Amino acid sequence: MEPFVKLEGLVAPLDRANVDTDAIIPKQFLKSIKRSGFGPNAFDEWRYLDQGEPGVDNSKRPINPDFVLNQSRYQGASVLLTRENFGCGSSREHAPWALEDYGFKVIVAPSFADIFFNNCFKNGMLPIVLSADVVDGLFNQVAATEGYKLNVDLGAQTITTPTGEVHSFEVDAFRKHCLLNGLDDIGLTMQQQDKIKAFELNHQQTQPWLFN
Amino acid sequence: MAKTLYDKLFDSHVVTEENGTALIYIDRHLVHEVTSPQAFEGLRLAGRKPWRISSIVATADHNTPTNGWDKGLSGIADPVARLQIETLSDNIREFGAKAYFPFMDSRQGIVHVVGPEQGATLPGMTVVCGDSHTSTHGAFGALAHGIGTSEVEHVMATQCLVQKKSKTMQVVVNGTLEKGVTAKDVALAIIGKTGTAGGNGYAIEFAGSVIRNMSMEGRMTLCNMAIEAGARAGIVAVDDTTINYVKGRPFSPKAEQWDAAVAYWNTLHSDEGAKFDAIVTLDAEEIQPQVTWGTSPEMVVGIDGKVPSLEMAKNEVQRGDWERAYAYMGLTPNTPISDIQIDKVFIGSCTNSRIEDLRAAAAIAKGKHIAPNVKLALVVPGSGLVKAQAEQEGLDKIFTEAGFEWREPGCSMCLAMNADRLASGERCASTSNRNFEGRQGQGGRTHLVSPEMAAAAAVAGHFVDVRQFV
Ligand code: SF4
């Protein structure tokens, strides 16, 4: 996994609460047995005017000009600003895969759904929780300023606006460590093999029916 | 110290813990075709093997067609879907599993129906699956939650999950439900109260006399919907209902192990005086049959209610959500729910496709016929075994005589990955769990209800209070 340390990125606003994973990546794309290539279908139903199917050339499809991410000023955005409970719904990791493939590295919202939040970290993305008021302020600033960028520093746990306002955010120490160093969870857990084996042996003695 | 059930389950599976992040041991890993291929591929690339093959139970459900089974695999018109189903078979062949119920096996079905039915879900277990509705299995006093594909790979490779302890919420429902008011209505009423984000960061334990009196099927419906309240896990304490359900299933403990297992399972409840971080209470008497009107399960009202008007929204963000929902659903504020006409009906999904659900729906449909404006009414049993049981009881006849289609098991129109779906603008009474935009087909409009309410709506052609039928 690529480490995540710092990022200065263009911000795209998605002014909706409860954006669900069906909206982030519709189910017809979940049939893929690959992990990549979901970016062109991120937010498919909002982004295009026709119905998307796997295997179709997305560059030839009619674009929905009203959808915010299609506006020219937000092209190349790597920070997604959105509202509460982002990523609710299914556990599909295709959702963070699609957002990452689209180009987003950071998502800022007042709250996230648990599984989605977790899935982001596994893919080198940083979901950041800021208070609803701060998020509201950021929405206003983004709307008012073309080319609005945020500076994200994971080490310092801060977001800095173009005018120099600094907002700190919380991040779990373990997840931060993994992200900063691009560490793969499986490799880390395998270092604990002996403990897992010892636990398993004991578990099997006390609840043998679990191992039938 | 008095412990909650969640604490007991979590603590008894901790392998190691550091700064609040624990490695917890996983007893059961349920696998299906959609969220596993990339995980198996990851194992292959890293040269890893599953840690404990006997923990893996797999089936194909999301993509499988619900008709045309006489043509076998070649009957799956969509080559991408077919490849995914075949890939699961290939992966299980290569890596192994305790049990695999492939497409068209007599025991195939929705993973959350199959697990409990086989006794592959047991009290006290940690259960994971690359599917958010894994919360269903919490009905057995198990700690069960959905995981992403990276975690599927992680569990396969290490038998463990990196996990932080959740906060605990107790949802207490006391009293007696009216006839015609079901576990689904309780679940929707809870979500109506807490909101879809209300359970974020929590594990919910459902308690109270209503839950104690509920069948396992009902408890599964309730725990299934915990994720729609934002909670990764829902749990119910073990009691005789649990133990009686588990007894004699193919993978349940036998003979000499049974008594020891039951003795342990009987400790799986929250201790007297255990502290929860949050408590929500509902009165059974106040719960009506529920119908969602919008594009999130929290947009829900009783059958006597109306589509709410904007003045009732609690803030600007919700006003925006509601305005979009009116437009998407093609509804205007203050429309009485019982005036809403429907085009299709779907009875199925891991929420409501078990035998009890089908019996309840059949009881309403019996001797009646679907309304002329209902273009399609689908009944999709949760598994091959549920289907066989229903056929033995003659439920299939009741449904087909009433104009319903009787299909093969699978997820079907719950998420419309296969050919069963809504066309744009079509309105559906559905017993599934999500009414998100496009969930049942692009532009499709979903109203979540109980099986009884779905059957009643099919007969009436619009939503109707099922209490007048029972
Ligand atoms: S029935 Fe629906 S919610 Fe349940 S596992 Fe299948 S797709 Fe998911």
Side-chain angles (χ1 to χ4, degrees):
Chain A
M1 198 171 78
E2 292 274 305
F4 181 106
V5 183
K6 285 184 184 180
L7 173 87
E8 189 189 20
L10 183 70
V11 182
L14 183 63
D15 196 355
R16 292 181 181 226
N18 299 311
V19 172
D20 59 76
T21 53
D22 283 77
I24 298 171
I25 183 82
K27 67 273 188 155
Q28 62 268 37
F29 304 106
L30 311 187
K31 292 172 197 165
S32 168
I33 56 171
K34 297 203 295 263
R35 211 179 248 269
S36 54
F38 295 102
N41 301 108
F43 302 113
D44 198 273
E45 292 184 7
W46 293 340
R47 195 163 149 198
Y48 301 99
L49 292 170
D50 65 346
Q51 178 152 355
E53 285 299 332
V56 166
D57 182 354
N58 294 294
S59 65
K60 302 223 164 71
R61 296 174 57 198
I63 294 285
N64 173 8
D66 295 335
F67 182 53
V68 63
L69 295 186
N70 286 334
Q71 293 175 21
S72 59
R73 62 185 282 196
Y74 300 122
Q75 299 315 302
S78 55
V79 178
L80 182 67
L81 178 67
T82 185
R83 298 286 184 181
E84 65 201 41
N85 203 27
F86 187 80
C88 60
S90 90
S91 66
R92 62 186 70 158
E93 201 157 316
H94 312 68
W97 294 339
L99 294 173
E100 205 263 350
D101 198 47
Y102 182 93
F104 291 118
K105 289 279 176 206
V106 171
I107 307 171
V108 179
S111 64
F112 291 88
D114 286 348
I115 303 179
F116 175 85
F117 188 74
N118 208 30
N119 281 341
C120 284
F121 287 98
K122 313 278 179 197
N123 291 283
M125 292 166 76
L126 178 61
I128 296 176
V129 177
L130 294 178
S131 74
D133 286 347
V134 171
V135 167
D136 223 30
L138 293 176
F139 266 103
N140 291 334
Q141 293 175 23
V142 172
T145 323
E146 191 137 345
Y148 186 92
K149 287 186 174 177
L150 283 173
N151 229 306
V152 181
D153 184 336
L154 176 57
Q157 296 180 214
T158 55
I159 285 193
T160 310
T161 69
T163 52
E165 268 173 71
V166 180
H167 303 286
S168 330
F169 60 86
E170 296 288 318
V171 56
D172 173 72
F174 175 75
R175 283 167 167 160
K176 177 178 174 179
H177 174 74
C178 290
L179 217 48
L180 282 173
N181 299 291
L183 293 177
D184 154 28
D185 273 11
I186 297 182
L188 280 175
T189 302
M190 284 309 245
Q191 294 171 4
Q192 312 274 4
Q193 295 200 41
D194 293 345
K195 284 187 186 158
I196 302 172
K197 282 186 186 140
F199 178 93
E200 192 168 55
L201 203 65
N202 180 51
H203 201 47
Q204 184 160 14
Q205 274 156 8
T206 50
Q207 294 180 60
W209 56 86
L210 296 177
F211 293 78
N212 287 342
Chain B
M1 210 185 81
K3 277 182 149 192
T4 63
L5 174 54
Y6 174 77
D7 287 332
K8 289 183 187 180
L9 293 169
F10 191 97
D11 296 350
S12 63
H13 286 86
V14 171
V15 173
T16 92
E17 187 161 6
E18 211 178 315
N19 303 324
T21 301
L23 208 53
I24 62 167
Y25 186 85
I26 300 302
D27 297 315
R28 175 67 67 222
H29 191 176
L30 302 167
V31 171
H32 66 86
E33 79 275 23
V34 175
T35 55
S36 66
Q38 297 87 352
F40 283 116
E41 184 64 16
L43 289 183
R44 203 175 284 121
L45 290 173
R48 290 176 173 133
K49 297 234 164 320
W51 180 283
R52 185 161 70 81
I53 289 166
S54 69
S55 68
I56 299 173
V57 172
T59 191
D61 55 5
H62 282 65
N63 257 318
T64 53
T66 57
N67 54 7
W69 277 26
D70 49 324
K71 296 185 224 67
L73 263 178
S74 61
I76 307 176
D78 180 347
V80 195
R82 190 166 63 231
L83 176 65
Q84 199 172 54
I85 291 166
E86 287 169 340
T87 302
L88 178 62
S89 294
D90 293 346
N91 283 327
I92 298 295
R93 211 172 296 124
E94 178 178 345
F95 291 97
K98 176 184 173 69
Y100 175 42
F101 308 118
F103 174 50
M104 302 210 315
D105 186 281
S106 62
R107 295 156 297 175
Q108 179 224 323
I110 306 171
V111 66
H112 309 308
V113 176
V114 169
E117 178 174 84
Q118 291 295 327
T121 303
L122 295 173
M125 273 185 165
T126 43
V127 180
V128 296
C129 175
D131 188 282
S132 58
H133 291 99
T134 309
S135 60
T136 311
H137 308 266
F140 290 82
L143 178 57
H145 51 64
I147 56 178
T149 297
S150 295
E151 290 172 317
V152 170
E153 184 182 340
H154 189 276
V155 172
M156 281 184 182
T158 68
Q159 211 58 41
C160 290
L161 191 64
V162 180
Q163 193 67 9
K164 265 179 108 95
K165 217 170 187 177
S166 303
K167 291 178 286 179
T168 53
M169 179 188 287
Q170 189 185 35
V171 174
V172 186
V173 193
N174 276 321
T176 311
L177 295 175
E178 258 187 88
K179 245 181 143 15
V181 179
T182 69
K184 180 66 161 287
D185 302 303
V186 175
L188 287 170
I190 292 168
I191 295 162
K193 184 155 178 165
T194 62
T196 49
N200 277 358
Y202 289 95
I204 297 180
E205 179 174 345
F206 297 99
S209 59
V210 166
I211 284 84
R212 291 272 67 85
N213 291 330
M214 237 177 223
S215 65
M216 284 316 293
E217 282 85 353
R219 293 178 190 179
M220 285 189 254
T221 301
L222 200 55
C223 289
N224 173 278
M225 296 288 285
I227 184 70
E228 305 321 324
R232 245 178 130 169
I235 29 179
V236 174
V238 173
D239 60 11
D240 289 348
T241 307
T242 325
I243 290 167
N244 292 336
Y245 182 98
V246 168
K247 193 167 189 173
R249 304 217 165 238
F251 301 161
S252 321
K254 303 272 148 26
E256 71 291 0
Q257 286 179 353
W258 176 256
D259 293 340
V262 170
Y264 171 61
W265 296 343
N266 277 322
T267 68
L268 297 175
H269 50 78
S270 290
D271 294 331
E272 190 83 34
K275 292 262 180 307
F276 290 86
D277 298 300
I279 296 182
V280 173
T281 51
L282 272 84
D283 239 342
E285 282 76 13
E286 283 172 14
I287 303 175
Q288 290 189 11
Q290 303 281 302
V291 182
T292 65
W293 61 268
T295 52
S296 159
E298 71 183 20
M299 298 177 183
V300 65
V301 291
I303 179 67
D304 290 352
K306 294 177 175 162
V307 176
S309 60
L310 281 182
E311 302 85 73
M312 295 161 74
K314 63 174 193 275
N315 55 33
E316 266 315 297
V317 175
Q318 191 168 62
R319 281 175 70 94
D321 272 8
W322 285 12
E323 278 175 323
R324 268 190 298 274
Y326 299 145
Y328 183 85
M329 296 298 291
L331 290 173
T332 45
N334 297 317
T335 306
I337 295 297
S338 55
D339 282 2
I340 301 174
Q341 302 261 332
I342 54 165
D343 305 303
K344 286 187 175 169
V345 174
F346 173 62
I347 297 176
S349 91
C350 58
T351 314
N352 281 128
S353 65
R354 298 179 179 83
I355 189 70
E356 188 178 273
D357 301 313
L358 302 188
R359 284 180 193 142
I364 302 293
K366 189 168 187 173
K368 305 198 181 70
H369 201 274
I370 61 172
N373 60 309
V374 174
K375 291 183 246 177
L376 176 71
L378 276 186
V379 186
V380 184
S383 71
L385 295 184
V386 170
K387 181 170 186 256
Q389 171 76 30
E391 288 174 355
Q392 203 188 337
E393 296 178 18
L395 304 184
D396 57 325
K397 294 275 173 330
I398 295 177
F399 284 121
T400 48
E401 279 164 16
F404 289 79
E405 287 193 22
W406 179 249
R407 294 288 186 89
E408 305 291 348
C411 294
S412 179
M413 208 157 74
C414 172
L415 94 164
M417 258 182 100
N418 68 3
D420 310 334
R421 58 182 75 171
L422 299 180
S424 189
E426 280 182 341
R427 191 180 294 287
C428 181
S430 178
T431 67
S432 55
N433 42 55
R434 290 192 173 133
N435 51 351
F436 300 153
E437 287 184 22
R439 172 76 179 184
Q440 295 192 293
Q442 189 166 16
R445 294 162 171 166
T446 303
H447 296 269
L448 303 175
V449 288
S450 71
E452 288 88 329
M453 283 288 286
V459 168
H462 56 88
F463 292 107
V464 51
D465 191 339
V466 72
R467 287 174 295 185
Q468 68 196 51
F469 291 85
V470 292

